Amino acid sequence: MITDIAASTSRGLKTTFIGQKVIYYPALPSTMDAARQAVRQGAADGTVIIAGEQTAGKGRLKRAWLSPPGSIALSIVLYPGLSVLPYLVMIASLAAVYAIEKAADVKAQIKWPNDILVDGKKAGGILIENEVRGDKVDFSIIGIGINVDLDVTAHPEISSIATSLKSQRKDLGVRIIRSLLIEFERLYIKLPDGKTIFEDWRDRLVTLGKKVKATSGRQVTEGTAESVDQSGALYIRGADGKLTKVVAGDVTLKGE
Ligand code: BTN
């Protein structure tokens, strides 16, 4: 069974390196830590760690991430160059959106910087951990979580903001993962030219043109989300006309 899931993910997968090696665990604290462990053991570029369930899933900004059985929880090991780092989040969120649309046949969007939305609610998220020394990247771990069969009503802490793809099809999870890995590699090998990736990511952002509240550490910025730049930063125009650059953090769309 265990090898079945790893094998059915990578069998005949039309990629050259992403997902050619898949390691599946029925349950893990977090695929992020298992991926670090795999790196220490010499994991090849593109190795994918998948968990059937995470008991201590990690979200952005040190939040917890729920991933009971039925959810997609995976991490991809990469050894990229430094100039590639700003694009990883764009590639991961675009790959997740394309995979959900292809495999689940629903429309998906991105909320800055990398929340995956379906019907305006969060259906997935991306967590990236980079290990950088000087101007050299030792490794990057791209964590992707997608709610597939998650009963959000059973989790009051997320029930108003989250959603799940909830499918009748038993193999939807594997189909999304396979599509995700193909899309990820297709976008990744376009680099170092990230221009089209940036433009595609920008065009999928539900955030632009909306009234938003951005929280970055203790700094709160309110206004209209005006634009993003190639580093991924968001520019918000306040009511006083001042333009503020937000590099990282969380955004709430007004009315949410
Ligand atoms: C977010 O806060 O939106 C990011 C969520 C990222 C969750 C994924 S699930 C696979 C990987 N392992 C983790 O522990 N977290 C990421």
Side-chain angles (χ1 to χ4, degrees):
M1 180 63 190
I2 291 175
T3 44
D4 275 354
I5 291 182
S8 52
T9 300
S10 58
R11 189 182 301 123
L13 190 71
K14 290 193 179 69
T15 60
T16 58
F17 71 107
I18 302 277
Q20 288 302 312
K21 169 84 179 162
V22 173
I23 307 170
Y24 175 79
Y25 297 90
L28 267 185
S30 164
T31 56
M32 301 307 280
D33 301 333
R36 273 178 190 268
Q37 173 86 12
V39 166
R40 281 194 288 273
Q41 292 166 352
D45 204 13
T47 297
V48 176
I49 313 291
I50 302 177
E53 157 183 24
Q54 294 186 120
T55 51
K58 297 197 253 180
R60 289 174 59 240
L61 309 170
K62 298 203 182 339
R63 294 182 187 131
W65 179 261
L66 273 177
S67 49
S71 291
I72 291 175
L74 64 84
S75 291
I76 305 171
V77 172
L78 292 176
Y79 301 101
L82 195 62
S83 62
V84 160
L85 295 189
Y87 296 107
L88 293 180
V89 71
M90 301 178 197
I91 290 175
S93 38
L94 277 175
V97 159
Y98 295 154
I100 289 171
E101 291 188 344
K102 279 195 183 141
D105 200 22
V106 291
K107 178 100 184 109
Q109 291 169 306
I110 304 167
K111 188 177 78 156
W112 186 91
N114 49 15
D115 284 351
I116 309 303
L117 304 188
V118 169
D119 289 333
K121 292 191 167 179
K122 184 155 170 168
I126 317 286
L127 176 68
I128 299 191
E129 294 180 353
N130 298 314
E131 207 66 40
V132 181
R133 257 188 291 174
D135 60 358
K136 189 181 170 304
V137 183
D138 279 349
F139 59 87
S140 289
I141 296 172
I142 318 301
I144 302 174
I146 299 174
N147 304 334
V148 178
D149 270 325
L150 177 68
D151 177 9
V152 290
T153 59
H155 302 280
E157 68 278 29
I158 59 162
S159 59
S160 64
I161 52 160
T163 189
S164 170
L165 303 176
K166 275 203 215 77
S167 147
Q168 311 304 336
R169 292 196 58 147
K170 260 196 145 271
D171 64 345
L172 182 65
V174 170
R175 289 171 58 240
I176 293 177
I177 293 174
R178 284 172 62 90
S179 182
L180 173 68
L181 300 177
I182 292 168
E183 294 294 335
F184 193 99
E185 181 174 295
R186 185 179 66 77
L187 295 165
Y188 189 69
I189 59 184
K190 278 189 184 175
L191 294 170
D193 175 18
K195 189 165 173 282
T196 57
I197 291 164
F198 163 69
E199 288 170 354
D200 291 347
W201 172 76
R202 182 194 58 197
D203 293 348
R204 285 290 183 144
L205 284 177
V206 70
T207 320
L208 296 183
K210 299 261 167 63
K211 293 247 185 301
V212 298
K213 177 176 167 184
T215 312
S216 183
R218 287 193 187 156
Q219 197 195 335
V220 177
T221 311
E222 291 196 60
T224 304
E226 196 167 280
S227 58
V228 280
D229 68 20
Q230 283 219 37
S231 74
L234 176 69
Y235 294 82
I236 298 175
R237 180 80 62 187
D240 57 0
K242 191 176 146 220
L243 195 62
T244 305
K245 177 179 179 178
V246 184
V247 178
D250 246 0
V251 152
T252 314
L253 304 181
K254 242 169 157 188
E256 267 187 3

